[in-house]
Every structure is written in structure tokens, then in C-alpha cells.
Amino acid sequence: MQKKYDATISHSTIIRAMGNCFECAKKGISHGENPFGACIIHQGNVISCEYDHAVSKNNPTAHAEVEAICAALNSLNRCSFEGNTLLVTTCEPCPICVTAAKLVGVSHIFYGMSIATGKKRGYLKNSFSSTLCAEMLGGGIKIINYEEMFSTEGLVDFWETHNKESI
């Protein structure tokens, strides 16, 4: 029996979305961006899939999660989500991304690499728990680690290899 997080989202949907995020992040890396990708699933449909744009936009808040949220909202022509909305992302989100997700009504966040794994790899410096951040914002958003089911740690390897080749 597949895990279901609500009436419309199955485990296989999360895995497919995580694969989309992974490929999107690889595209971003090839454009000189950081190794992150994110998708928004709203009422069972993938609305957007974006990569990090912090480098090209000279904007440290242009994280993949924020970009995916903005693209989805623009696509739906609204400024918040109604109903079931999931954020699927390659890395455990930072406080900026959790806050943005909370503000627009995201119900669940699924991620493929924890902050702890990123720190072990020497890539991430952030050590602020996304779950703690969500609790500080009043709860209402569920954060689920999918690292054991679909690890996106390989993006760090891809990013490191790509950056060595471009030097």
C-alpha cells in the first residue's frame, strides 16, 4: 500500500516530483547556479518546477523554493494557495523558504537532503531546523524528510564536478 499524505498525493507522486526537482537543479547548476531545485504541487498537479537563481539575480533570497512558489502563484494568478499545496525540494528548506511557504499556505514540504547531510558534505552552513522554524511560525505546515526514499545528495557531487570543470 502506498503512503498517502492526503486524498490526492501519493508516495509515487512525491518521488516523481523529487526527480523533476533533481533534474531542474542540474539545469540550474549548468547555468552557474547553486545545486537546488523545487516543485509546487497544488491540488494534485505540478504547477511549477524551478531551480535556484541567487547567482544570476544577485539575490540571496532567490532560492529554488521561493522561485517555485512565485512561479506557481503567477501561473494561478493569485497571491496564496487554497487547498492542498505541497512544496517538494531537493534540500531541507532554510528559514526564508519555510516562512515563504507558510505565508502562502503550503500544507506540506518534502525534501531530499537534510541540512545535516549538507553540513557533513561541507556545503551547507545553515543549521537551523526547518521543523523548528515551522513550529516558531505557529505550525500548520508538515515537513517530511524523504532522504531515505530519494536522496538528492548527488547534486552536491554534480555541482562540485561542474564547478571544477568551469574553473
Side-chain angles (χ1 to χ4, degrees):
M1 182 171 177
Q2 289 188 359
K3 289 182 182 178
K4 285 221 177 224
Y5 295 94
D6 66 40
T8 60
I9 302 300
S10 69
H11 170 74
S12 61
T13 299
I14 304 301
I15 293 295
R16 275 194 307 277
M18 194 67 75
N20 291 343
C21 293
F22 190 91
E23 292 304 315
C24 193
K26 284 174 64 176
K27 181 179 175 184
I29 291 167
S30 71
H31 288 105
E33 298 293 351
N34 293 313
F36 306 110
C39 288
I40 292 290
I41 301 172
H42 179 65
Q43 297 180 348
N45 299 304
V46 174
I47 304 297
S48 66
C49 198
E50 296 289 330
Y51 57 83
D52 189 281
H53 287 88
V55 175
S56 62
K57 290 184 175 182
N58 295 315
N59 180 350
T61 65
H63 296 181
E65 298 90 343
V66 173
E67 295 290 305
I69 289 168
C70 290
L73 291 170
N74 283 333
S75 174
L76 296 169
N77 196 29
R78 58 175 66 158
C79 57
S80 65
F81 299 111
E82 295 173 14
N84 183 49
T85 303
L86 288 77
L87 170 60
V88 180
T89 179
T90 57
C91 190
E92 182 174 359
C94 74
I96 292 168
C97 298
V98 173
T99 302
K102 171 72 174 170
L103 288 172
V104 298
V106 168
S107 58
H108 296 76
I109 298 174
F110 296 86
Y111 63 87
M113 183 177 74
S114 68
I115 290 170
T117 299
K119 286 179 72 174
K120 283 181 200 170
R121 293 295 307 271
Y123 181 72
L124 295 175
K125 294 172 181 60
N126 177 10
S127 61
F128 198 84
S129 160
S130 58
T131 302
L132 178 59
C133 181
E135 289 170 8
M136 291 174 68
L137 292 169
I141 189 167
K142 294 179 181 150
I143 301 177
I144 298 107
N145 182 341
Y146 246 56
E147 197 165 19
E148 288 186 22
M149 291 158 277
F150 193 119
S151 175
T152 56
E153 183 179 354
L155 287 170
V156 177
D157 297 327
F158 185 79
W159 182 78
E160 288 172 344
T161 300
H162 184 78
N163 282 337
K164 285 178 187 171
E165 291 172 1
S166 63
I167 293 175

